């Protein structure tokens, strides 16, 4: 249940944001009064361990703030900016009297408004490095033509739909610009709830105070992935979570999946989980059960939507559930902070909250018909760019289970690595790889020498700089394609190169892949007449797996840096194939 706006405003005065590990500066521009949004975002950010500083522009000052290069907004230098313009302001008199002019004149006005919006966006991009989140426009239930609105040539609703469609097109062409679906927000909560005429007449308030926190919750869906705080794994209990009934007590045919109202609710929940899996969210099971009883339902029950291949880890046993979550984290090589946990038992929920607070434990009610709505309301699975690796992630983790089985069946690590038939392909930064390189810098924590975070625009800038090298590596083996799982950024001059960023996705650590890539970089530098490569290791709470990498590769500590003398021989692993595109 969402809290009242007044509570957020009070909390914003008392929280200590300086203790947060992440920081963000948020700009808020609006065409109407939007009091309390900045305070609510500050509190919600604090609860996600983010220090949030916000700049809220004056009432209806968005044009001045964007068009003036010396405005307070640009002096504030936000990391992310929310621009919320309402349709009444945009259309002005035409909002109430669209049919006072001809259809051709309406089309002309729409073109003018689109041009105004495009100009605002381009001016903002010119003056600021911030990401811009611009709202689209709500389609009112009102129409002056009443029942025949749909018969009107380029009618009132057509005008707004056209503006929204063109706005989406502009955002698709601009990597740092996103469209927030404000029209969808109105549809979800109801126009009569959001737009309160009394508040509107008092102070040009076009989002009722009670719904500002819901808006802030939606906007947090942009903040979290920008800081690499989005979740990537859902761990699920089985009994009364994925299906109705207890498999160890009820007969196979009495498991609720599809027939009863509760059974239909569990099927609907599974359908939405499968949809998330298809978009790259990892699924895993953590259940106290006899393995054979539970796996029989998963494999054979006709009502099951999710199958065995959809789960990257199956912890079905009688072990402690907190311990099982840690096993899943280690097995998948992901941090506990990347996990969302669903369990119907309040005791288990509280146990995980106390034992592993970094896991997001969802409070599930007794009524399974609410499960899907709870899942859909989470803003933790959003990403600001979708890559091929995201879409294939579920399948990749299924293949990872096969690798684990092979590793356990071979006598030595060398035999295991040779049997994998690993192929490493070095790729340059281009329009296809830049989004993934940025994503890796934002999300990779464990094997990451410096944990520097770069947005897509930063990587694009680096890749066009002749004094920098931006690259990545795609990894394949006998079980399938791991996708682009390495990224490196190098600053170069005539005598020395400096490794700014070197990282590897946690799921492929320990296969000698990192050794092959660094060997390629060293050889490339030597071929270009460079004498030394300098690198840095900046320790964090999470990147200890990368701590010994540089000395193990032959780098020697010189003052605060690690240095490789390219007069020395360069070792390369021989159990894999490395190619350069």
């Amino acid at each position: 249940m969402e809290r009242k706006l007044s509570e957020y405003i009070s909390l914003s005065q008392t929280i200590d944001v300086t203790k947060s590990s992440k920081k963000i500066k948020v700009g808020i521009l609006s065409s109407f009064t939007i009091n309390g949004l900045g305070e609510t975002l500050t509190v919600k950010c604090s609860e996600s361990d983010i220090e949030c500083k916000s700049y809220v522009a004056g009432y209806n000052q968005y044009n001045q703030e964007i068009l003036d290069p010396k405005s307070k907004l640009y002096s504030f230098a936000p990391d992310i900016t929310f621009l919320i313009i309402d349709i009444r302001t945009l259309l002005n008199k035409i909002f109430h009297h669209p049919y006072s002019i001809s259809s051709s004149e309406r089309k002309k006005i729409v073109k003018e408004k689109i041009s105004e919006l495009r100009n605002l966006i381009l001016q903002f991009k010119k003056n600021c490095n911030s990401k811009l989140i611009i709202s689209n426009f709500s389609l009112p239930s009102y129409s002056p033509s009443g029942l025949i609105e749909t018969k009107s040539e380029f009618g009132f609703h057509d005008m707004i739909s056209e503006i929204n469609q063109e706005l989406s097109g502009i955002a698709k062409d601009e990597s740092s610009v996103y469209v927030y679906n404000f029209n969808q927000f109105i549809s979800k909560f109801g126009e009569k709830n959001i737009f309160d005429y009394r508040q509107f007449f008092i102070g040009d308030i076009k989002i009722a105070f009670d719904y500002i926190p819901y808006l802030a919750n939606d906007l947090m869906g942009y903040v979290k992935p920008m800081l690499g705080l989005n979740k990537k794994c859902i761990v699920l209990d089985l009994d009364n979570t994925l299906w109705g009934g207890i498999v160890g007590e009820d007969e196979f045919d009495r498991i609720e999946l599809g027939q009863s109202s509760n059974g239909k609710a569990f099927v609907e929940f599974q359908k939405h989980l499968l949809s998330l899996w298809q978009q790259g969210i990892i699924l895993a099971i953590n259940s106290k059960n006899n393995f054979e009883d539970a796996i029989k339902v998963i494999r054979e029950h006709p009502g099951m939507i999710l199958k065995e291949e959809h789960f990257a880890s199956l912890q079905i046993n009688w072990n402690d559930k907190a311990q099982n979550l840690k096993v899943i984290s280690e097995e998948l090589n992901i941090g506990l902070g990347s996990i969302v946990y669903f369990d119907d038992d309040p005791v288990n929920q509280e146990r995980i909250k106390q034992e592993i607070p970094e896991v997001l434990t969802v409070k599930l009610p007794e009524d399974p018909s609410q499960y899907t709505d709870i899942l859909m309301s989470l803003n933790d699975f959003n990403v600001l760019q979708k890559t091929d690796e995201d879409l294939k992630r579920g399948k990749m983790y299924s293949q990872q289970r096969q690798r684990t089985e092979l590793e356990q069946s071979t006598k030595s690590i060398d035999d295991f690595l040779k049997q994998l038939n690993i192929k490493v392909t070095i790729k340059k930064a281009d329009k296809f790889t830049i989004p993934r390189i940025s994503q890796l810098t934002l999300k990779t924590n464990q094997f990451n020498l410096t944990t520097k975070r770069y947005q897509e625009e930063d990587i694009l800038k680096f890749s066009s700089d002749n004094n920098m090298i931006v690259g990545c590596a795609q990894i394949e083996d006998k079980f399938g394609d791991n996708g682009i799982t390495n990224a490196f950024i190098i600053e170069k001059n005539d005598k020395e190169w400096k490794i700014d960023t070197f990282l590897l996705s946690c799921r492929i650590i320990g296969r000698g892949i990192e050794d092959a890539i660094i060997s390629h970089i060293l050889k490339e530098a030597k071929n270009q007449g460079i004498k030394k490569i300098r690198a840095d290791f900046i320790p964090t709470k999470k990147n200890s797996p990368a701590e010994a990498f540089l000395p193990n590769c032959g780098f020697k500590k010189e003052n605060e840096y690690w240095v490789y003398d390219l007069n020395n021989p360069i070792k390369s692993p021989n159990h894999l194939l490395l190619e350069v595109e």
Side-chain angles (χ1 to χ4, degrees):
M1 192 69 177
E2 186 57 89
R3 288 166 285 186
K4 294 288 187 181
L5 178 62
S6 57
E7 185 175 346
Y8 280 106
I9 293 175
S10 296
L11 285 170
S12 70
Q13 307 302 317
T14 60
I15 59 175
D16 183 3
V17 295
T18 59
K19 295 181 179 179
S20 303
S21 62
K22 302 274 187 176
K23 301 178 187 295
I24 195 165
K25 294 168 74 176
V26 177
I28 300 172
L29 307 175
S30 177
S31 63
F32 54 91
T33 304
I34 197 161
N35 294 343
L37 179 59
E39 292 89 339
T40 306
L41 284 171
T42 296
V43 175
K44 286 184 177 290
C45 280
S46 176
E47 291 171 347
S48 294
D49 196 26
I50 304 167
E51 177 187 340
C52 174
K53 293 181 180 178
S54 61
Y55 170 74
V56 182
Y59 168 72
N60 199 23
Q61 295 293 302
Y62 68 93
N63 263 305
Q64 295 91 320
E65 291 279 4
I66 291 175
L67 297 178
D68 181 4
K70 297 181 180 179
S71 70
K72 291 181 180 179
L73 172 71
Y74 297 137
S75 297
F76 177 69
D79 301 304
I80 187 168
T81 302
F82 297 107
L83 172 58
I84 305 170
I85 308 171
D86 71 287
I87 193 62
R88 285 171 178 258
T89 301
L90 187 74
L91 293 182
N92 203 350
K93 295 177 182 179
I94 298 301
F95 178 82
H96 288 100
H97 309 291
Y99 295 108
S100 63
I101 57 177
S102 66
S103 61
S104 60
E105 289 176 304
R106 290 195 292 272
K107 289 179 181 179
K108 181 181 178 182
I109 286 175
V110 164
K111 287 183 179 179
E112 290 172 354
K113 297 303 176 185
I114 292 166
S115 179
E116 288 174 14
L117 292 171
R118 181 181 285 108
N119 183 53
L120 280 176
I121 290 169
L122 294 179
Q123 286 298 316
F124 181 88
K125 279 195 64 182
K126 179 182 176 181
N127 294 324
C128 190
N129 290 325
S130 167
K131 288 194 182 298
L132 177 65
I133 318 300
I134 181 171
S135 65
N136 68 6
F137 300 93
S138 61
L139 201 65
S141 56
Y142 146 86
S143 168
S145 64
L147 296 176
I148 60 169
E149 165 65 25
T150 56
K151 290 184 175 292
S152 303
E153 182 183 351
F154 201 68
F156 177 53
H157 289 176
D158 292 331
M159 293 174 68
I160 301 170
S161 296
E162 179 78 7
I163 293 170
N164 283 343
Q165 186 173 350
E166 289 293 325
L167 185 60
S168 294
I170 295 169
K172 286 175 184 175
D173 294 333
E174 304 291 345
S175 63
S176 62
V177 180
Y178 299 82
V179 173
Y180 167 62
N181 200 333
F182 184 66
N183 185 47
Q184 191 178 71
F185 176 76
I186 299 292
S187 297
K188 181 178 180 180
F189 293 104
E191 184 182 43
K192 287 189 175 182
N193 294 321
I194 300 294
F195 188 82
D196 183 319
Y197 269 106
R198 180 175 292 276
Q199 292 185 16
F200 170 54
F201 295 142
I202 289 172
D204 197 21
I205 297 164
K206 292 168 182 170
I207 302 176
F209 290 143
D210 286 348
Y211 289 89
I212 292 292
Y214 292 99
L215 174 65
N217 192 63
D218 275 6
L219 300 186
M220 283 296 295
Y222 294 93
V223 172
K224 289 179 181 179
M226 184 173 177
L227 295 174
L229 295 176
N230 47 315
K231 308 294 184 181
K232 55 186 176 184
C233 178
I234 298 175
V235 178
L236 300 137
D237 179 39
L238 292 177
D239 295 333
N240 293 314
T241 300
L242 269 193
W243 58 63
I246 300 173
V247 71
E249 298 177 5
D250 299 320
E251 295 179 8
F252 180 89
D253 293 340
R254 294 179 64 187
I255 293 296
E256 288 188 290
L257 272 173
Q259 297 303 316
S260 65
S261 59
N262 277 353
K264 292 175 182 177
F266 289 113
V267 167
E268 184 72 9
F269 184 50
Q270 288 197 32
K271 286 179 179 178
H272 282 273
L273 287 166
L274 178 59
S275 178
L276 286 172
W277 180 86
Q278 291 169 341
Q279 293 300 307
I281 300 300
I282 309 163
L283 301 180
I285 291 174
N286 181 7
S287 173
K288 284 193 174 184
N289 257 311
N290 288 324
F291 182 86
E292 294 303 326
D293 292 338
I295 205 70
K296 178 179 173 65
V297 177
I298 294 171
R299 290 172 177 169
E300 300 180 19
H301 199 289
M304 279 293 296
I305 302 298
L306 296 172
K307 303 299 182 182
E308 187 176 358
E309 62 265 24
H310 296 129
F311 298 104
S313 179
L314 298 166
Q315 297 303 314
I316 305 172
N317 49 47
W318 295 102
N319 298 338
D320 175 67
K321 286 197 169 184
Q323 183 58 38
N324 273 348
L325 276 172
K326 293 175 183 177
V327 170
I328 290 170
S329 171
E330 292 172 4
E331 182 181 344
L332 302 182
N333 256 325
I334 60 173
L336 288 163
S338 298
I339 293 175
V340 178
Y341 181 53
F342 283 84
D343 192 316
D344 69 293
D345 187 346
V347 175
N348 285 330
Q349 293 171 19
E350 190 60 31
R351 163 93 172 99
I352 301 304
K353 284 181 182 178
Q354 295 294 330
E355 177 76 14
I356 319 177
E358 55 265 53
V359 169
L360 174 57
T361 301
V362 179
K363 184 177 181 181
L364 288 179
E366 292 184 6
D367 181 2
S369 69
Q370 298 180 43
Y371 288 7
T372 296
D373 190 50
I374 290 170
L375 176 65
M376 293 171 64
S377 69
L378 294 174
N379 63 7
D380 297 276
F381 304 119
N382 295 306
V383 293
L384 294 183
Q385 65 261 50
K386 189 78 71 175
T387 65
D388 288 341
E389 284 72 21
D390 290 322
L391 300 176
K392 297 174 184 176
R393 186 178 291 117
K395 185 177 181 181
M396 288 175 181
Y397 274 92
S398 177
Q399 294 165 349
Q400 183 67 12
R401 285 172 54 198
Q402 295 175 283
R403 294 184 186 95
T404 302
E405 291 168 3
L406 173 64
E407 184 175 10
Q408 292 171 349
S409 67
T410 51
K411 294 180 180 180
S412 69
I413 185 65
D414 290 338
D415 289 341
F416 166 64
L417 293 175
K418 288 176 182 176
Q419 289 184 46
L420 275 180
N421 299 330
I422 298 170
K423 178 183 176 182
V424 178
T425 304
I426 304 294
K427 295 174 175 283
K428 293 181 179 179
D430 57 27
K431 65 179 181 179
F432 301 106
T433 61
I434 284 173
R436 176 58 176 168
I437 293 170
S438 168
Q439 186 181 65
L440 283 168
T441 69
L442 292 172
K443 299 183 69 172
T444 306
N445 293 308
Q446 295 184 53
F447 199 99
N448 191 336
L449 293 181
T450 57
T451 60
K452 293 181 179 179
R453 311 302 189 186
Y454 293 121
Q455 300 296 326
E456 194 172 331
E457 297 76 37
D458 299 321
I459 304 298
L460 183 62
K461 181 180 178 182
F462 294 157
S463 65
S464 60
D465 187 338
N466 292 330
N467 294 318
M468 300 193 79
I469 299 173
V470 182
C472 58
Q474 180 176 353
I475 315 302
E476 301 170 82
D477 61 29
K478 66 184 291 183
F479 293 110
D481 185 359
N482 283 282
I484 294 172
T485 44
N486 157 268
F488 54 87
I489 300 171
I490 297 167
E491 299 175 15
K492 60 177 185 174
N493 59 46
D494 294 338
K495 296 181 179 180
E496 184 180 88
W497 285 7
K498 179 188 174 185
I499 297 176
D500 172 272
T501 296
F502 188 94
L503 58 84
L504 195 74
S505 176
C506 52
R507 68 173 181 266
I508 60 167
I509 293 173
R511 300 180 202 167
I513 293 165
E514 58 271 38
D515 302 320
I517 298 168
I518 199 71
S519 172
H520 162 74
I521 293 171
L522 295 173
K523 290 176 182 177
E524 187 68 19
K526 190 169 186 176
N527 289 339
Q528 294 191 30
I530 302 301
K531 302 300 182 183
K532 289 183 179 181
I533 284 193
R534 191 159 48 102
D536 195 7
F537 174 73
I538 302 174
T540 68
K541 292 179 180 179
K542 296 181 179 180
N543 72 346
S544 58
E547 186 172 6
F549 175 64
L550 292 172
N552 287 346
C553 290
F555 283 75
K556 304 295 182 183
K557 195 69 179 288
E558 293 184 10
N559 299 319
E560 72 271 29
Y561 290 104
W562 291 91
V563 176
Y564 194 99
D565 185 342
L566 289 167
N567 290 315
N568 295 329
I570 300 170
K571 295 181 180 179
S572 302
N574 56 17
H575 66 275
L576 51 73
L577 173 66
L578 186 141
E579 294 182 350
V580 180
E581 280 193 350

